[in-house]
Amino acid sequence: MLDRTFDPKTAEPRLYAQWEASGAFSPTDDPAATPFSMVIPPPNVTGALHIGHALNNTLQDVLIRFARMRGRAALWVPGSDHAGIATQMVVERQLAAEGNIGRRDMGRDAFVERVWSWKSASGRLIAEQLRRLGASCDWTRERFTLDDGLSRAVRQVFVKLYKEKLIYRDKRLVNWDPQLQTAISDLEVEQREIDGALWSLAYPLEDGSGEIVVATTRPETMLADTAVAVHPSDGRYAALVGRCVRLPIVGRPIPIIADAYADPEKGSGAVKITPAHDFNDFKVGQRHRLPIINILDAFARLNENAPAPFRGLDRFEARRRVVAQFDSLGLLRGVEPMRHFVPHGDRSGAVLEPYLTDQWWVDAKVLAGPAIAAVEDGRTVFVPRNWEKTYFEWMRNIEPWCISRQLWWGHRIPAWYGPDGLIFVAETAEGAAAAALEHYGRPEPLRQDDDVLDTWFSSALWPFSTLGWPERTADLKRFYPTDTLVTGFDIIFYWVARMMMMGLHLTGVPPFRRVVFNALVRDEGGTKMSKSKGNVLDPLEIVDAYGADALRFTLTAMSGQARDIKLSRQRIEGYRNFGTKLWNAARFCQMNGAISHADFDPGGAAGTVSRWIVGELQRSSATVTAALDACAFDEAAGELYRFVWNVFCDWYLELVKPILAGADAGAKAETRAMAAFVLETVLKLLHPVMPFLTEELWAKTAPVGQTRGCLLISASWPDLPSTWIDAAAAEEIGWLVALVTEVRQTRAELNLPPSARPRLDLIAPPDRVRAFAERHHDLIVSLARLGELGEVGAAPPGSVVLVAGQTTVGLAVAAHLDLAGETARLAREIATHDADIERTQRKLANQGFVAKAPAEVVEENRERLAGAMDAKARLEAARDRLSLLA
RNA sequence: GGGCGGCUAGCUCAGUCGGUCAGAGCGCCUGGUUUACACCCAGGAGGUCGGGGGUUCGAGCCCCUCGCCGCCCACCA
């Protein structure tokens, strides 16, 4: 016999091992099976599983298990991302903590080796955690963005795009992170609002005839100013255009130029131009061929281009000194505190500097075209749809993508430089050497580019590189393009857009047919979970406390939320209880010999309760199937919860108790088989969401002395015919449920003690209802806790009258009847009907409604009115009789 | 500045095509040794659907507008 509860701690590892050993995680070889494939959003190797991963991977696992059970050749490719910056930071921090020498002292090769050894030691953590969650990915196909195959793919793509001039090298301003010592892309810039100040600085005219005032939040950059700009139509300064100011401190004369970039509304209307340290100024500088003076080094200290006293100073110290100098020169025209947004590196948190360097770029504009078209024409569909707008907006305004990073951990850029600086791009050093030999006519020493590629460059190839591209592997042919990508909307630009661009450019087809965006998980207060805030719910801790199924069901049930999920322990506990409920239902079935029979035909059942439940089951399974097909995970979970608890447990199992305890052997046998069938079907339907508990029950509820033919993970998905829905049985059981509920409500209102067994009489019932009552006599008596169930022509004195649907009954409660209370109860009931009658009557009296509303809606309201008036009349009759008693 | 969400019961949220849509779970209250389950059972209270206007026979639902809250993008000399 089953224990009282499921024990996830011991069962989960055992079941997972069984699945993995069975080979169920790999797609079937059956050539007739239609492929269904997904690639995991590769977690960072540095990462530990957080609740966002848990959500994302639960949804993927639901989909892959669903597909597998439907007979698809289901493949879910797992893997992880080398996460350049993040990983390098982790290892550097570790070196520092251990008191080791730093990365630069260590040298590149030793450092990279150190990262690899860290990766092999710690990089398996997240894969283990995914297993604990129950993720059924194909571990035999696990990939890493820096493994040999993927590295080859990266190099080949780089070379191809370079040859197509879609990758190029260019010197321009980038977002420079002075702490990490690398360029980063626009996307990695985070605007943070900080307290700063706006300083007004006076620049004297060269001839001493006056001054021009400019305002800035970064006074130190004035050391690199090469112009002052005013708007061409700004009358205040028209006379000054073309003349020069002498830059204070520096002493350099710089021109006053006219450019529309200057906004007459802002500040003084004149703006300082620093081409080397401001993106907008850079463009102005290009228009006017201004010199570009870079005064910062890679650490954002002032370099040799700054006046001697400033050299070597940190930028913020330089700022203070520049301001002080202006002040002492009498040229500081004002300072006002200002809260403003300043760009920070999202990883380091350092204030970024626009910095002039040579970097590698991808011409994203060209690649974006086909990627936009694929979503426009529906070859790739976003779920929910509204993310398409965000995608289009970004893609249509896309800027060149800076792909080089001054890091050591990552794919080294396959470009080599000759002695004269000429670039040779090739997949290998030998290839580059050969090209150089051809060019120079003799061997020349080549130096490989020191930089590595942005991590997202390799991630962009993930859907096909993991399947073996550029080789034309069997997997690639069978599983590419993939079916569904499940990911967070926070990486729609970083990742989804770039996979679309690369996938289309390199393979000609979009890498997935559907992209499902899952919500963001937050804590109960709605703030993003983060370690620094200490509000992290550790998924593994939850799994330990409640089991993986409880966490999975919770996340699935809450996944419909538009943008974020607020998670609470209470909620998880509730769904753990749901699992226990099902467990105990199975326990009940087992105790009552409800065991499945292969030759049982559920559609041919004779008993009313059987015919009813099998129809409910059909409807429910169709709802769940449709919901999962549409990725409406929350709907699927909600329907399963409702059916299992509110239909199967609350009513069906209660309804069959008398049959199972009764003497009718035929009915008993049929009911046992039906209960087992419903349970078994529920296990299948619930398996994608709660795989562990259902798998355990599947094994434990096998026919006595037998084992199941296969694991539940490999069982086939229920496909029940709609002909199983029996309208007559549904009506009959619906009547019974309404009647029992009505009696229970009345008992509670009258404060009838549970021990009271009143008599219930049908009052002049129609033949059909009489037949229902006769058929379910014992059930009604037990469920409503009655003494007797009979029939009378009119309500006897001392009874209260109830109306359940079309049926009026008298409940004999004389001994407990509180006349005043009962009168009040009836009055309330009547008032409810009155309100309904009035509303419906008003509607039907409205000419417009009758004329314009669809006929069926009008008819529906007529019936509603008739029903309400009928019920009211019967309740009034009861009230009148009651007043006679008084 | 541009865009996207959200505002429905004490809390967290569903609500599809405008017509039993005023719902669920949790919490709360009342009652319960019902032989599967107290991780349970039965019952209950609680909402002017953010405000205002409009369209419609009919509006949480569509349109306009205002107000908060959150996020994304761009930018602020």
Side-chain angles (χ1 to χ4, degrees), chain A residues 55-76:
Chain A
L55 168 67
N56 176 247
N57 289 292
T58 293
L59 298 184
Q60 290 178 82
D61 198 45
V62 169
L63 283 181
I64 203 75
R65 285 178 187 268
F66 176 53
R68 191 182 292 126
M69 289 178 79
R70 289 171 113 193
R72 308 279 298 265
L75 171 63
W76 182 16

Side-chain angles (χ1 to χ4, degrees), chain A residues 585-701:
Chain A
R587 190 161 176 264
F588 173 83
C589 289
Q590 193 186 48
M591 291 169 76
N592 285 281
I595 286 158
S596 63
H597 296 283
D599 54 354
F600 174 64
D601 170 24
T608 314
V609 175
S610 289
R611 284 184 290 126
W612 164 73
I613 193 64
V614 84
E616 291 294 310
L617 180 67
Q618 195 283 336
R619 270 215 294 266
S620 188
S621 69
T623 301
V624 171
T625 305
L628 290 180
D629 257 331
C631 289
F633 301 101
D634 55 328
E635 258 177 59
E639 175 59 22
L640 286 163
Y641 189 97
R642 188 195 69 84
F643 181 79
V644 169
W645 204 310
N646 303 123
V647 179
F648 184 60
C649 292
D650 286 351
W651 288 103
Y652 176 72
L653 291 184
E654 294 305 321
L655 294 174
V656 299
K657 276 178 182 174
I659 303 174
L660 293 173
D664 185 338
K668 197 190 279 193
E670 178 181 282
T671 299
R672 283 173 162 172
M674 181 59 83
F677 174 76
V678 176
L679 176 65
E680 192 173 291
T681 306
V682 163
L683 293 181
K684 290 178 178 179
L685 293 170
L686 193 55
H687 181 262
V689 186
M690 294 189 130
F692 291 108
L693 178 138
T694 52
E695 187 74 74
E696 183 79 341
L697 284 177
W698 174 258
K700 295 211 166 181
T701 58

Side-chain angles (χ1 to χ4, degrees), chain A residues 399-428:
Chain A
E399 294 287 325
W401 171 20
C402 177
I403 51 170
S404 41
R405 296 290 180 276
Q406 288 66 52
L407 305 172
W408 288 349
W409 176 242
H411 297 277
R412 192 153 175 189
I413 290 176
W416 283 261
Y417 301 94
D420 54 356
L422 202 67
I423 300 171
F424 300 92
V425 169
E427 287 181 47
T428 60

Side-chain angles (χ1 to χ4, degrees), chain A residues 337-361:
Chain A
M338 189 165 102
R339 244 186 117 61
H340 64 141
F341 283 93
V342 174
H344 288 70
D346 65 350
R347 288 281 171 188
S348 69
V351 174
L352 302 177
E353 288 294 336
Y355 194 54
L356 193 64
T357 52
D358 283 306
Q359 301 290 344
W360 290 93
W361 303 84

Side-chain angles (χ1 to χ4, degrees), chain A residues 371-420:
Chain A
I372 293 168
V375 176
E376 277 174 343
D377 65 24
R379 276 173 294 156
T380 296
V381 177
F382 285 7
V383 181
R385 225 33 208 261
N386 51 303
W387 288 110
E388 291 180 2
K389 190 166 180 172
T390 305
Y391 172 84
F392 288 142
E393 188 59 26
W394 190 71
M395 288 292 250
R396 285 173 184 148
N397 298 296
I398 200 162
E399 294 287 325
W401 171 20
C402 177
I403 51 170
S404 41
R405 296 290 180 276
Q406 288 66 52
L407 305 172
W408 288 349
W409 176 242
H411 297 277
R412 192 153 175 189
I413 290 176
W416 283 261
Y417 301 94
D420 54 356

Side-chain angles (χ1 to χ4, degrees), chain A residues 15 79 83 284 331 335 354 362 433 475 568 606 695 735 781 824 874 882-883:
Chain A
L15 292 167
V284 175
L331 294 172
V335 52
V362 168
D475 271 3
S568 74
E695 187 74 74
W735 170 83
V781 165
R874 284 182 285 170
L882 203 63
S883 63

